[in-house]
Amino acid sequence: MTAHPGPSRSRSRARSRTVGLCTAALVATALPAGGATGDAWAAAPGAGARAASATCAASPTPTGGEAKRILDIAEDTRKELDLKAVVLRVTRDGKEVLTAALGESMSGVPTTADMHFRAGSVAIVYMGIAALRLVEQGKASLDEPISRWLPDAPHADRITLRMLGGSTSGLRDYVPDPKFLAALYADPFRPWTPDELVAISASHPLLYPPGTSWSYSHANFVLLGQALEKISGMPLAELLRQQVMGPAGLGDTRNGTTPEIEEPVLHSYDTERGPYEESTYWNPSWTTAPGAVLTTHVCDLARSAEAVGTGELLSAAAFRTQLDPGTVGLGGDTPGCSPRDCFKQLPARHFGYGVIVQNGWIQSNPSFAGYAAIQAYLPSERLALAVSTTTGPKAPAYNTAQTIAGRIAEALAPGHDLSGAGPAEPERKS
């Protein structure tokens, strides 16, 4: 990203590919009636969790059946959308249906399933789970003002933990701010501090009184991460490891304190600054709270989809809160907030506590600097999808991983639409 505008096509991507980590379509169905296993949330780290495979490798090339259909969808879409690489994994009942790696990471370097990429807003899901677990341990209340832990935060006496995790605080998103974008494009390697980021949001008036509508804001999750550190008394990276990654067996999902990515690396490329250029190591410090800037590989991402989507890390009551913390019914006709930002949260289309619920799927769809990904779980079919993509010079600006996942969902689970934003519906990122 750069200060010069570049071609109009690249500027339009500023808010649709690099600028974001989470929400794309926010299209959801009614909440699952069930919940999680009753005691799983209280287990010690690692208890009851199925450890991720020590090796993430592509399946043997399928010659027919369901796996062949999935592979054909991925390969056809890769060519259609000019994607440089696609890695994906599909499981049912926790058992592999297909793991595949297509295209190249770099010119002449084939993509492999064990390559690591940025996990973006998946960390927001983890922060939500950690918050709900701390609440059930009696260490906090979702409806306490954050002034208890962050007295200097903007509107701290009016904003609660529930509002941060459900993105109903009214804080404006700092990402669309023109000054932020100019600085980000001018130096994509610049490190950003939480205080710098929150100050950008605080420089604008609230979009609406806290808790009265819905709009996505990165500032909510920067503040949530800071609050979680105060509540738990430990660094956020350690809290997420203890509360989420450890119990879920996500051995290859890590917090990055620098732009470094663990080898082997799935390289990314982008046109947001004008030319098609390598963007793998652009600094992700602005995307969410320090300690929650994650990298992973596709096997961990599929396991993550299953752990989140089954609610195994939460009590049944906390899982219900995760899927609807009170967001359903908010948004819509909000004076002073555009329908694109404050859109109506419906039982079939809403943001939960850090997750997106979409036509029965429980998902997260991050994108950043040429990377796009999705983790999604359909409880009714016990089906987990994980996809990560990187772009070629003519790739579209929307989340192409969600496009692939949507086509796979259509083939495997008709009636449960997982398609994301496309040219007709600009996606929201974060």
Side-chain angles (χ1 to χ4, degrees), residues 51-112:
S53 172
T55 302
C56 185
S59 313
T61 302
T63 58
E66 195 171 61
K68 180 66 162 57
R69 291 172 66 199
I70 296 168
L71 186 62
D72 288 346
I73 288 169
E75 182 58 29
D76 290 347
T77 307
R78 185 182 73 85
K79 294 175 180 176
E80 173 192 340
L81 300 183
D82 187 33
L83 302 179
K84 192 167 185 67
V86 175
V87 286
L88 66 91
R89 183 172 172 89
V90 179
T91 67
R92 184 180 283 109
D93 284 326
K95 299 176 181 177
E96 180 187 52
V97 177
L98 178 72
T99 304
L102 308 172
E104 294 182 323
S105 172
M106 297 184 290
S107 296
V109 179
T111 305
T112 58

Side-chain angles (χ1 to χ4, degrees), residues 288-316:
T288 192
V293 181
L294 303 181
T295 60
T296 191
H297 61 37
V298 75
C299 294
D300 263 21
L301 194 64
R303 170 64 190 131
S304 173
E306 183 182 49
V308 172
T310 59
E312 70 178 60
L313 301 177
L314 296 170
S315 70

Side-chain angles (χ1 to χ4, degrees), residues 95-292:
K95 299 176 181 177
E96 180 187 52
V97 177
L98 178 72
T99 304
L102 308 172
E104 294 182 323
S105 172
M106 297 184 290
S107 296
V109 179
T111 305
T112 58
D114 61 347
M115 286 180 168
H116 297 90
F117 49 85
R118 301 202 187 279
S121 59
V122 171
I124 292 172
V125 183
Y126 297 172
M127 282 194 284
I129 291 172
L132 292 168
R133 289 173 64 125
L134 290 172
V135 165
E136 291 219 321
Q137 293 164 17
K139 296 182 179 179
S141 165
L142 286 183
D143 296 312
E144 284 184 273
I146 61 172
S147 56
R148 175 179 171 186
W149 306 285
L150 304 173
D152 297 327
H155 311 284
D157 59 338
R158 303 172 63 194
I159 293 172
T160 66
L161 290 177
R162 186 184 300 272
M163 295 173 193
L164 293 181
S167 208
T168 63
S169 70
L171 289 168
R172 290 178 183 262
D173 192 3
Y174 55 79
V175 168
D177 184 280
K179 291 182 180 179
F180 172 76
L181 285 175
L184 194 59
Y185 280 111
D187 182 7
F189 300 100
R190 169 183 170 173
W192 293 82
T193 69
D195 288 347
E196 288 176 319
L197 298 169
V198 173
I200 296 170
S201 290
S203 70
H204 300 280
L206 291 170
L207 285 170
Y208 45 81
T212 64
S213 189
W214 182 93
S215 57
Y216 191 82
S217 174
H218 289 72
N220 290 319
F221 305 106
V222 174
L223 290 171
L224 181 60
Q226 291 181 310
L228 290 175
E229 289 192 329
K230 295 290 187 179
I231 294 166
S232 65
M234 67 177 67
L236 182 60
E238 178 64 15
L239 176 68
L240 297 184
R241 187 195 66 78
Q242 287 190 12
Q243 299 289 331
V244 182
M245 279 104 80
L250 304 178
D252 275 281
T253 301
R254 295 179 172 84
N255 168 62
T257 56
T258 73
E260 182 181 10
I261 301 175
E262 182 188 8
E263 294 286 349
V265 177
L266 181 65
H267 285 247
S268 68
Y269 308 85
D270 212 346
T271 58
E272 292 184 46
R273 305 204 315 158
Y276 181 67
E277 60 185 333
E278 169 123 10
S279 52
T280 308
Y281 299 108
W282 287 2
N283 197 309
S285 56
W286 60 268
T287 57
T288 192

